[in-house]
Amino acid sequence: MQDDKTGGVPIRTVKSFLSKIPSVVTGTDVVQWLMKNLSIEDPVEAIHLGSLIAAQGYIFPISDHVLTMKDDGTFYRFQAPYFWPSNCWEPENTDYAIYLCKRTMQNKARLELADYEAENLARLQRAFARKWEFIFMQAEAQVKIDRKKDKTERKILDSQERAFWDVHRPVPGCVNTTEMDIRKCRRLKNPQKVKKSVYGVTEESQSQSPVHVLSQPIRKTTKEDIRKQITFLNAQIDRHCLKMSKVAESLIAYTEQYVEYDPLITPAEPSNPWISDDVTLWDIEMSKEPSQQRVKRWGFSFDEILKDQVGRDQFLRFLESEFSSENLRFWLAVQDLKKQPLQDVAKRVEEIWQEFLAPGAPSAINLDSHSYEITSQNVKDGGRYTFEDAQEHIYKLMKSDSYARFLRSNAYQDLLLAKKKGKSLAGKRLTGLMQSS
């Protein structure tokens, strides 16, 4: 984008009254370049992409501290590669203190500190009181080096350094867009385990102006904290862990299993109704005569057969043949309860209790004592989730017992073979017609 030889954004020096503004581009130039080189048709999309780039500080406005892209004559400047977020370490508070201290030594008319920067400088000066002399010497040395540079070059460098701190110590009210390291996120979630700096914030993980960070008193570790930590570590030891290779194999197997059901990878048959006017596929899916593909999918998992209306009907017939259909009917009744209007919930709870769980219920289900006791207490103040524990118990019972027998049953195997046979016969007929023609 910065290379004029390969069609980059035109960088130019603009005259403004008695001064010159060197090495700037306009927001319109950037937006037009993005639309042209990235084949973007919508200007709004190009502005959004430009704002994402500006939010990271790669391009910054020279007139304010708000890192956004505007499609107008606003002047922007490219950030030096040294200050790119991709090339920089996470700056520390000492670096910020040196920068603010250096600003106070430079041209005050042009680089006067803003109110929030002055407050930050005062806080940092109190925080680093012991080594403030060293910080001051560092800032003084950098100022001497900067004064040896060309005036135009120094002006550009000052703006680039300011933009760098706009990213890492943003203006109050602006969002910090720099990514947070996962280890820092963990430390922020466990503030008691984090080493505090002298002014009440974490030295390594501070990502915004310290003016907005409330200091927290350091609390001594108690016996209760140690007990909680031991309990947590024991739970971690007992966790069931899988090798990464096994997880990868499972993910690959799952992907391969469902590849023919993904219309983005495998074209839908007879056609995809989302990109054509043919709705035959939807008619087939709504039909009570399931295709071979649907029947095959029922065998993938118990949830697949419960999601399919025809699959539930077939499974219910199988359970009726085994005189255990009350399990599925109870599970479906509880699912329906969650969708009932609020005024009908209490009545429906009582109906389900009387049909499946009350003493002498006509369709009694087999619950363990723990789930039955919890459900009995929940019924006294019935709600949509009164039967949650009982439903989970019945779900596991059907999944581990009835569903496995259904997949081995003649009913499912005959249905699966019949669909395969029907598909092969249709293929033979189509081949015969093509040969005869």
Side-chain angles (χ1 to χ4, degrees):
M1 191 182 289
Q2 299 182 65
D3 192 352
D4 289 335
K5 297 179 181 179
T6 58
V9 181
I11 301 174
R12 55 184 178 271
T13 299
V14 179
K15 293 183 179 180
S16 176
F17 297 105
L18 301 176
S19 62
K20 294 182 179 180
I21 306 176
S23 301
V24 293
V25 298
T26 65
T28 302
D29 291 337
V30 175
V31 171
Q32 293 296 327
W33 189 93
L34 292 172
M35 293 180 65
K36 177 182 177 182
N37 291 272
L38 300 182
S39 301
I40 299 175
E41 298 180 358
D42 188 358
V44 176
E45 183 180 350
I47 295 171
H48 174 65
L49 180 58
S51 296
L52 293 178
I53 298 173
Q56 298 292 330
Y58 291 99
I59 303 176
F60 60 89
I62 65 170
S63 57
D64 57 37
H65 299 268
V66 183
L67 301 176
T68 58
M69 180 61 62
K70 300 176 183 178
D71 187 10
D72 55 21
T74 303
F75 290 131
Y76 292 83
R77 186 171 285 146
F78 287 105
Q79 183 61 281
Y82 176 79
F83 291 120
W84 286 354
S86 56
N87 292 339
C88 283
W89 29 256
E90 180 70 20
E92 297 180 358
N93 291 315
T94 51
D95 301 312
Y96 189 44
I98 292 170
Y99 165 72
L100 293 178
C101 190
K102 187 172 64 173
R103 284 270 302 275
T104 61
M105 302 176 187
Q106 294 173 335
N107 189 341
K108 294 183 179 181
R110 184 167 54 87
L111 295 170
E112 186 177 357
L113 293 180
D115 291 341
Y116 79 96
E117 290 177 323
E119 292 177 10
N120 290 345
L121 179 60
R123 287 175 179 267
L124 291 168
Q125 191 168 3
R126 291 194 300 269
F128 300 119
R130 294 182 180 179
K131 54 180 179 180
W132 189 253
E133 185 177 354
F134 171 76
I135 291 174
F136 187 84
M137 290 172 60
Q138 286 278 80
E140 199 172 31
Q142 291 187 22
V143 169
K144 288 181 180 178
I145 295 173
D146 290 341
R147 284 173 178 168
K148 295 178 182 179
K149 297 177 182 178
D150 179 72
K151 184 178 179 181
T152 302
E153 182 184 359
R154 189 167 67 245
K155 187 176 181 180
I156 295 173
L157 182 61
D158 289 341
S159 68
Q160 291 172 335
E161 192 173 9
R162 185 213 68 185
F164 171 80
W165 289 110
D166 284 342
V167 173
H168 293 279
R169 297 291 188 274
V171 179
C174 292
V175 179
N176 191 332
T177 56
T178 52
E179 294 182 354
M180 180 70 75
D181 184 78
I182 185 66
R183 288 170 294 183
K184 294 181 182 178
C185 291
R186 290 288 299 169
R187 289 198 292 269
L188 289 177
K189 290 180 181 178
N190 297 278
Q192 296 171 8
K193 301 179 182 179
V194 182
K195 182 179 178 181
K196 301 289 183 179
S197 70
V198 291
Y199 56 97
V201 295
T202 57
E203 178 66 20
E204 295 180 350
S205 61
Q206 184 187 357
S207 59
Q208 60 182 25
S209 171
V211 70
H212 293 294
V213 182
L214 298 177
S215 62
Q216 298 178 358
I218 300 176
R219 187 171 66 87
K220 292 184 178 180
T221 304
T222 63
K223 291 182 179 180
E224 186 62 28
D225 294 333
I226 299 297
R227 290 193 188 98
K228 289 181 180 179
Q229 188 175 6
I230 293 172
T231 303
F232 172 76
L233 293 175
N234 286 333
Q236 294 299 103
I237 293 174
D238 295 336
R239 283 181 61 188
H240 178 65
C241 298
L242 291 175
K243 291 183 178 179
M244 193 63 196
S245 58
K246 294 292 183 183
V247 175
E249 288 177 5
S250 299
L251 181 59
I252 292 171
Y254 177 87
T255 306
E256 291 176 346
Q257 188 179 46
Y258 281 89
V259 66
E260 62 178 301
Y261 298 91
D262 190 337
L264 295 176
I265 300 175
T266 305
E269 294 181 359
S271 65
N272 189 340
W274 293 104
I275 59 176
S276 67
D277 294 330
D278 187 5
V279 295
T280 307
L281 179 65
W282 288 341
D283 294 337
I284 294 174
E285 292 295 324
M286 295 297 293
S287 172
K288 292 186 177 181
E289 289 294 329
S291 62
Q292 188 266 340
Q293 196 178 32
R294 283 175 69 184
V295 175
K296 180 182 175 182
R297 188 166 181 167
W298 297 347
F300 289 174
S301 68
F302 186 45
D303 290 325
E304 289 292 347
I305 198 170
L306 290 179
K307 288 191 297 185
D308 193 324
Q309 177 65 50
V310 179
R312 290 199 303 268
D313 294 342
Q314 293 292 336
F315 186 50
L316 182 61
R317 291 176 191 173
F318 170 76
L319 294 178
E320 288 173 348
S321 68
E322 291 195 336
F323 304 100
S324 60
S325 62
E326 65 277 358
N327 289 333
L328 181 58
R329 289 190 286 110
F330 169 75
W331 188 88
L332 293 173
V334 175
Q335 286 294 98
D336 182 66
L337 171 65
K338 299 172 184 178
K339 306 173 186 176
Q340 292 293 321
L342 187 60
Q343 63 268 23
D344 299 337
V345 169
K347 178 182 177 183
R348 186 65 183 133
V349 166
E350 182 62 25
E351 291 174 355
I352 294 174
W353 172 261
Q354 293 297 332
E355 182 178 358
F356 296 102
L357 292 165
S363 301
I365 58 175
N366 185 16
L367 276 185
D368 63 286
S369 58
H370 179 70
S371 299
Y372 187 83
E373 184 179 351
I374 293 176
T375 306
S376 301
Q377 294 296 325
N378 292 342
V379 169
K380 296 177 182 179
D381 185 19
R384 297 183 191 276
Y385 301 95
T386 298
F387 303 100
E388 196 73 10
D389 290 274
Q391 186 189 34
E392 184 178 358
H393 177 80
I394 293 300
Y395 173 88
K396 292 179 179 178
L397 185 66
M398 291 191 295
K399 180 179 179 180
S400 60
D401 186 29
S402 304
Y403 174 64
R405 288 203 307 276
F406 171 72
L407 296 182
R408 296 193 301 267
S409 68
N410 293 332
Y412 178 72
Q413 295 297 328
D414 290 346
L415 192 62
L416 189 61
L417 292 173
K419 296 301 174 185
K420 287 183 178 178
K421 185 177 179 181
K423 188 175 181 180
S424 62
L425 287 173
K428 289 181 180 179
R429 290 173 185 168
L430 181 60
T431 305
L433 288 171
M434 291 176 65
Q435 290 176 350
S436 63
S437 62

